[in-house]
Amino acid sequence: MEIYKISGTESSPDVYLDQNKGIFTLSGRSLPENAINVYLPIINWFDEYSQNPNPETVVEINFEYINSASIKQLAKLVVTLEKIKANGGQISVNWHFTPEDFDGKAYGEHLSRLVTFPIALIGDASK
């Protein structure tokens, strides 16, 4: 599969998806004007990846700020990641937030209730 890479901006996330290196990261800020336009290609990439996933997939999500429209799209993304498990791969997500970011933690908890694979909530004081 082709590497999917987007350099983040003030309103959109930095994305790096590389099946060969086993690197799957979304980070930065996510408050785009049209979240669907940002996340649909990512969801489609993972949908294709799920057909022939690596034996183990760990997705790192590390946002310093995220809006509700982005959370809605991330919910669609994590549900799509279930296909990896269905096709024999192991999947987990590391959801990073700062300990004082109660909304960030709550978003991760919400996403974890949507799926059967683990979403680790990582309160990172160094962010």
Side-chain angles (χ1 to χ4, degrees):
M1 280 188 68
E2 293 290 319
I3 295 170
Y4 186 82
K5 183 178 180 181
I6 299 173
S7 295
T9 67
E10 283 295 314
S11 63
S12 63
D14 186 59
V15 180
Y16 189 77
L17 308 174
D18 185 341
Q19 182 175 13
N20 292 331
K21 291 184 179 178
I23 299 172
F24 311 95
T25 62
L26 293 88
S27 61
R29 297 170 55 86
S30 186
L31 52 148
E33 195 168 303
N34 189 334
I36 294 171
N37 287 345
V38 171
Y39 285 93
L40 185 59
I42 298 166
I43 292 167
N44 289 341
W45 190 94
F46 273 112
D47 190 48
E48 181 181 340
Y49 168 80
S50 72
Q51 301 307 308
N52 187 25
N54 294 350
E56 182 177 0
T57 303
V58 179
V59 179
E60 299 286 340
I61 302 176
N62 190 353
F63 289 119
E64 62 185 61
Y65 182 81
I66 186 166
N67 66 7
S68 57
S70 295
I71 285 295
K72 185 175 181 180
Q73 297 308 309
L74 281 173
K76 292 177 183 178
L77 173 61
V78 297
V79 169
T80 299
L81 295 176
E82 283 280 4
K83 294 177 183 178
I84 293 169
K85 186 176 174 183
N87 288 326
Q90 289 187 315
I91 176 72
S92 61
V93 171
N94 292 325
W95 178 269
H96 298 266
F97 62 95
T98 57
E100 63 277 357
D101 182 5
F102 299 111
D103 288 338
K105 182 179 181 185
Y107 290 148
E109 290 169 343
H110 169 71
L111 294 175
S112 70
R113 288 189 292 271
L114 301 175
V115 293
T116 61
F117 60 81
I119 295 182
L121 304 177
I122 301 170
D124 185 359
S126 65
K127 277 180 65 176

